[in-house]
Amino acid sequence: MGTLQLFPTPYTPAPPLDIPFVQQQQSLARYSSTRTKRARGRSQATDGENKAAIAWDAGQELCVEEIEVAPPRAHEVRIEIYYTGVCHTDAYTLSGKDPEGAFPIILGHEGAGIVESVGEGVTKLVPNTCSSQSAPPRVSLIPVLRSTPECKECKFCKSGKTNLCGKIRATQGKGVMPDGTSRFKAQGKDILHFMGTSTFSQYTVVADISVVAITPKAPMDRTCLLGCGITTGYGAAVVTAKVEKGSNCAIFGAGCVGLSVIQGCVKNGAAKIIAVDVNDGKQAWAEKFGATTFVNPTKLGKRSIQEELIEMTDGGCDYTFDCTGNVGVMRAALEACHKGWGESIIIGVAAAGQEISTRRMTPPSFQLVTGRVWRGCAFGGIKGRSQLPALVDDYMNGNLKVDEFITHRETLPKINEAFNAMKQGDCIRCVVDMRKL
Amino acid sequence: MGTLQLFPTPYTPAPPLDIPFVQQQQSLARYSSTRTKRARGRSQATDGENKAAIAWDAGQELCVEEIEVAPPRAHEVRIEIYYTGVCHTDAYTLSGKDPEGAFPIILGHEGAGIVESVGEGVTKLVPNTCSSQSAPPRVSLIPVLRSTPECKECKFCKSGKTNLCGKIRATQGKGVMPDGTSRFKAQGKDILHFMGTSTFSQYTVVADISVVAITPKAPMDRTCLLGCGITTGYGAAVVTAKVEKGSNCAIFGAGCVGLSVIQGCVKNGAAKIIAVDVNDGKQAWAEKFGATTFVNPTKLGKRSIQEELIEMTDGGCDYTFDCTGNVGVMRAALEACHKGWGESIIIGVAAAGQEISTRRMTPPSFQLVTGRVWRGCAFGGIKGRSQLPALVDDYMNGNLKVDEFITHRETLPKINEAFNAMKQGDCIRCVVDMRKL
């Protein structure tokens, strides 16, 4: 079976677009040609060549095994996944701490691939055709899968106030397609979908509103990361907080999301961009993305991180971002905000049963009553189908860092290594090649 | 000693401006004439005629007794208080639950009166002169005292983002004037100032930035209430939340602040205005101020108030307001917000040691990550010196309800009755006549 490995594993971070696009597109095209013929010949992905990493139960390693992927039904799309990222949210659900988590399930929600086939009523996504005459043949539509769909019809999408879409939320949360059933089967059992995406499968079926077509010129081993972490962080700074020029910002947690918040702050002209992380190894990373200062809160002695930040910024930060999901950090982030106007943006989801709260010597609501704001966002507030293509353009034009996030690469059979790498501090993002077995 | 009682005690709520202004002003003028002569004759208010309600210790009743009030120093103003409101915040501090509370202290932070004398450097407030030739003589400047000063010079005032002023915060929080000393003395002991106002004294000394001059035409027994509760609620809806036309709003707690939030929601054209209170007696009050629906959360059976509100508003409220200071209510108010954009405004300050938090079956930060916002405000976000005069104008023009809030009236010697009345559900605001002994 033909495969394409764009970079050796493990991957060394490289400057943006270090491989000429033409060369990459030619490779993709060649590969796609072979694969597409095979895919076309099947009415159902049941020929034993489809593998997925299945999470059979909480706390266990993923099992890479054969899986049946039923054809897309009305308003559904079957995608051949080329690349997927591995995100902390996948690990969170796999750990069993996610109260919505159910098993067996196929995780994964940062993916890129091509449309293999479409169900009835899908008009805007055409499998294996060119979106433009100038694009390379067969590498036609490149969807990025997202856990935040956009139907453009529901109360949410029409509100103009949020990127959340209500259309398939209920069934998506239950791990099934909008008609209440699964498209995945392994060992004779139905396997659940995850976040409406399940990118840890070579083929997946998703709602058409979960797919966005982006320029075929963009390399999928990078754009897959726009499906969650990078977009989330960047959007949190640019779309949700709308960081203003000259602002003082603090970012708690310098992982993928935090680093992307930093680049959003840089983009919007923030003055002080303070990265906060307990791992000193993140200092170089934070500075690479534009942080002006790095603080390790475990090295402040008796001083709290909020006290440190308030002094560093003469009264507190204009914006703080929690990218950790740790409730103690969320509290510190709020308390590090400037009285009167500071906003703290919550990006990470805390584990079930934990409280986010604020209590000090002053009354608990005092932090908010004195003019601070606690704001949350999902996917950075970015509307996937409307706004994601522009981010891809920004990347292609060198205005959005993506390549720099990739520290590790794995193949599908070694996907558990990606989870192990993520637990270590030196991994920002691991991209998994889903076609190499 | 001449007194002026505008209404019999107890007061029956009356329509706005039910007493002609001319008649009222003439009464005030006559009264003021007598008082002013007396005040002019003193260099220091030590002649035994000055009484104040002193809180000698937490949890005790106030003691009305003689007090010395030193003359104003530089950038200070000595005010003769005509009327004061009694607010839950006074009761909160008196209870001993306020971690900043210290004793002995003179409470009170909703006051109106006249400028008796000014210290060095005070140029914009002139004692006992007419602000305009058309105004009645001697009833010249009518300051409303506020706990939220506005210096127009500090980082906060210049930010354009907040109504909080940092200039005298440190000393105000400690119960002293900006130079670190008190102007009050009783039984040979220094008595602390409260919130920079201490309106439970016939004479008080405040920083000039805590005083706003308003039209002499406004009746002080009503405008005193603009010093806190009414302005706070109205501002929370109009200035802080910026409630939009057609919005669905829920107000938790239908006391003075909550009722004023309701009138702010009416002013901004909200569609559904849902008042929530455990006291059914508040239904008539809420409807009088413009609530479209009243819900008693204790009468919903197994259904939570957030579930009820989410159903009533087809997904949740656009804006909710906590006017209770109860942390459980704060949580319910956040959770009753519409996913994606709902904002919950915290107005009440919870007791020390209580947590505000959100925890349900879903992860705690889920409420915020799914697009809700927790926002706090003090004094409704209204800038006292810049914006309060316009509220007084609104009142004078019949566009802001104030008279309707007054359910009880007391005199200074019976000020403890005002606290007792406040603990009962039928008291919205009690105005205390500070000149009647």
Side-chain angles (χ1 to χ4, degrees), chain A residues 229-310:
Chain A
I230 295 176
T231 305
T232 294
Y234 185 76
V238 173
V239 174
T240 299
K242 296 182 181 67
V243 165
E244 293 133 352
K245 193 173 178 183
S247 301
N248 293 331
C249 303
I251 298 92
F252 290 74
C256 174
V257 173
L259 293 174
S260 205
V261 170
I262 292 172
Q263 71 170 329
C265 292
V266 171
K267 159 91 173 176
N268 278 20
K272 288 184 184 167
I273 304 175
I274 305 164
V276 180
D277 203 296
V278 295
N279 177 354
D280 281 334
K282 292 290 174 64
Q283 176 164 4
W285 279 99
E287 289 171 355
K288 178 176 176 178
F289 279 80
T292 57
T293 319
F294 178 87
V295 179
N296 184 332
T298 66
K299 297 187 174 172
L300 298 174
K302 290 183 178 175
R303 199 180 180 80
S304 73
I305 181 64
Q306 42 271 58
E307 287 168 338
E308 179 77 5
L309 290 171
I310 286 168

Side-chain angles (χ1 to χ4, degrees), chain B residues 334-356:
Chain B
L334 178 68
E335 294 177 355
C337 283
H338 202 292
K339 194 169 90 168
W341 60 77
E343 295 203 7
S344 190
I345 316 294
I346 290 183
I347 306 174
V349 174
Q354 289 192 304
E355 295 261 352
I356 49 167

Side-chain angles (χ1 to χ4, degrees), chain A residues 99 155-156 161-162 164 244 314 338-340 350-351 354-357 359 361 363-365 368-370 374 376-378, chain B residues 99 155-156 161-162 244 314 338-340 349-351 354-357 359 361 363-365 368-370 374 376-378:
Chain A
K155 180 181 180 185
F156 292 86
K161 290 178 164 189
T162 180
L164 300 177
E244 293 133 352
D314 186 27
H338 202 292
K339 194 170 91 168
Q354 289 191 302
E355 296 262 352
I356 49 167
S357 57
R359 177 176 61 187
M361 288 303 288
S365 53
L368 296 175
V369 169
T370 47
W374 233 349
C377 63
Chain B
K155 181 182 180 185
F156 291 87
K161 290 178 163 191
T162 181
E244 292 134 352
D314 186 26
H338 202 292
K339 194 169 90 168
V349 174
Q354 289 192 304
E355 295 261 352
I356 49 167
S357 58
R359 177 176 60 187
M361 289 301 289
S365 53
L368 296 176
V369 168
T370 47
W374 235 347
C377 64

Side-chain angles (χ1 to χ4, degrees), chain B residues 165-188:
Chain B
C165 168
K167 190 161 182 182
I168 61 172
R169 167 67 197 158
T171 50
Q172 182 174 306
K174 290 175 185 159
V176 290
M177 296 301 291
D179 72 353
T181 64
S182 168
R183 302 289 165 272
F184 299 130
K185 192 164 276 196
Q187 298 184 18

